[in-house]
Amino acid sequence: MTVRDTWNPAQYERFRTEREQPFHDLVALITRRPAGRVVDLGCGTGVLTAMLHHQLGAAATLGVDSSSSMLDRARPLEAPGLSFVPGDIATWGPDSPFDLVFSNAALQWVADHRSLFARLTAMLAPGGELAVQVPANFDHVSHTLAAEIAREEPFAAAMHGYARTFSVLPPEEYASLLHGLGFVAQSVRLQVYGHVLESPDAVVEWVRGTLLTDYESRLPGPLYQAFVARYRERLHAALGDQRPYFYPFKRILLWGRLPV
Ligand SMILES: C[S@@+](CC[C@H](N)C(=O)[O-])C[C@H]1O[C@@H](n2cnc3c(N)ncnc32)[C@H](O)[C@@H]1O
């Protein structure tokens, strides 16, 4: 099956304010300033990578992303000490270690977090820090509905039975994982971000910028439009016409530091 790059920076940034708060909360957990050598995995448009670079006074920050449309937006932000490269987090590895491995809202796209976190830890220098934020909203109707529709026809046949599964672990498992990987200090928390949106329709626009890009990349254009139409109809049936609509969004913020 062909998987296209369907990340759309403009669609993603429609909810920029809402998406930025978890980033700021994650940055607040980082203790080393200036931060030294930093990597931002799944850097997207690079806007937050540049902010991270400046806020931490980092010596060098590298943004890594697998989407060429996102990287096209990020590259103009390059500056001394700030650069962006293409790479798949599942396989990408650095030439030399980092003092901070950072990732905001990206690792949920990567499988098997136990082995992934072992690889991320191996990227760190002694005393290095890991800071990760992942959504944990997979039991909300905005997410369960997408998987439900993916299993219905004609979408199931077109995607050969594919439905997105999520690799995000419960918070306590990340805490145990960090301990097992040798982190001597850590913070892991689940936080609910409440977003007051105009109506349930805004939720459709929200997931079109993230979750649904996965189905968009696997379906021909007209079929993807039909997928979104069915999603919209069912979401309305589930949520009613609430105006404004309060969208509670769970996220896990985790941080750990290795011994020196
Ligand atoms: C929700 S966006 C977050 C972007 C940015 N970190 C932010 O907070 O604005 C997720 C990003 O992860 C990238 N991504 C998803 N899977 C990836 C992978 N396996 N390797 C590298 N990047 C990936 C996508 O291309 C996208 O830019």
Side-chain angles (χ1 to χ4, degrees):
M1 189 191 308
T2 330
V3 177
R4 287 172 289 126
D5 174 12
T6 41
W7 282 96
N8 177 339
Q11 182 72 23
Y12 181 71
E13 293 211 326
R14 285 180 68 165
F15 297 95
R16 184 164 163 186
T17 314
E18 287 84 353
R19 294 194 198 282
E20 263 187 36
Q21 188 56 50
F23 164 84
H24 293 298
D25 295 344
L26 185 63
V27 173
L29 294 172
I30 299 161
T31 59
R32 183 197 293 228
R33 287 152 205 257
R37 295 152 298 171
V38 175
V39 66
D40 181 8
L41 298 172
C43 61
T45 61
V47 173
L48 297 181
T49 316
M51 216 182 275
L52 180 74
H53 179 66
H54 296 298
Q55 284 185 6
L56 297 180
T61 302
L62 182 66
V64 179
D65 205 286
S66 54
S67 159
S68 48
S69 56
M70 287 297 207
L71 284 173
D72 285 347
R73 282 287 284 270
R75 286 221 174 82
L77 301 174
E78 284 192 337
L82 175 63
S83 51
F84 298 93
V85 292
D88 182 344
I89 301 165
T91 50
W92 184 84
D95 298 332
S96 53
F98 292 100
D99 301 304
L100 171 66
V101 171
F102 182 92
S103 184
N104 187 53
L107 298 188
Q108 72 276 13
W109 296 101
V110 185
D112 188 359
H113 276 198
R114 285 185 186 79
S115 62
L116 171 66
F117 274 65
R119 286 186 42 244
L120 302 185
T121 306
M123 292 180 193
L124 285 170
E129 297 183 33
L130 176 68
V132 170
Q133 186 269 115
V134 280
N137 222 29
F138 311 111
D139 53 355
H140 188 271
V141 65
S142 58
H143 284 66
T144 55
L145 200 51
E148 198 178 300
I149 294 170
R151 291 193 189 93
E152 296 171 0
E153 298 303 345
F155 315 113
M159 295 191 286
H160 310 289
Y162 174 85
R164 173 121 212 118
T165 53
F166 296 97
S167 49
V168 173
L169 301 170
E172 64 276 20
E173 287 195 29
Y174 286 113
S176 301
L177 189 55
L178 291 182
H179 176 76
L181 289 168
F183 288 85
V184 287
Q186 64 161 271
S187 161
V188 180
R189 72 174 193 255
L190 179 79
Q191 187 161 336
V192 183
Y193 290 88
H195 303 300
V196 180
L197 305 179
E198 201 181 311
S199 71
D201 252 340
V203 176
V204 181
E205 296 312 307
W206 182 296
V207 295
R208 276 184 57 213
T210 51
L211 173 67
L212 298 191
T213 60
D214 189 30
Y215 297 111
E216 187 178 4
S217 69
R218 292 162 200 273
L219 289 169
L223 215 45
Y224 176 65
Q225 294 314 322
F227 187 103
V228 175
R230 197 178 296 181
Y231 177 91
R232 189 185 303 277
E233 190 186 308
R234 295 268 192 89
L235 192 75
H236 272 256
L239 299 180
D241 190 26
Q242 303 179 48
R243 289 166 189 268
Y245 172 64
F246 181 81
Y247 188 24
F249 204 110
K250 286 182 280 186
R251 295 179 182 275
I252 296 171
L253 289 94
L254 64 91
W255 167 88
R257 189 176 58 229
L258 288 175
V260 181

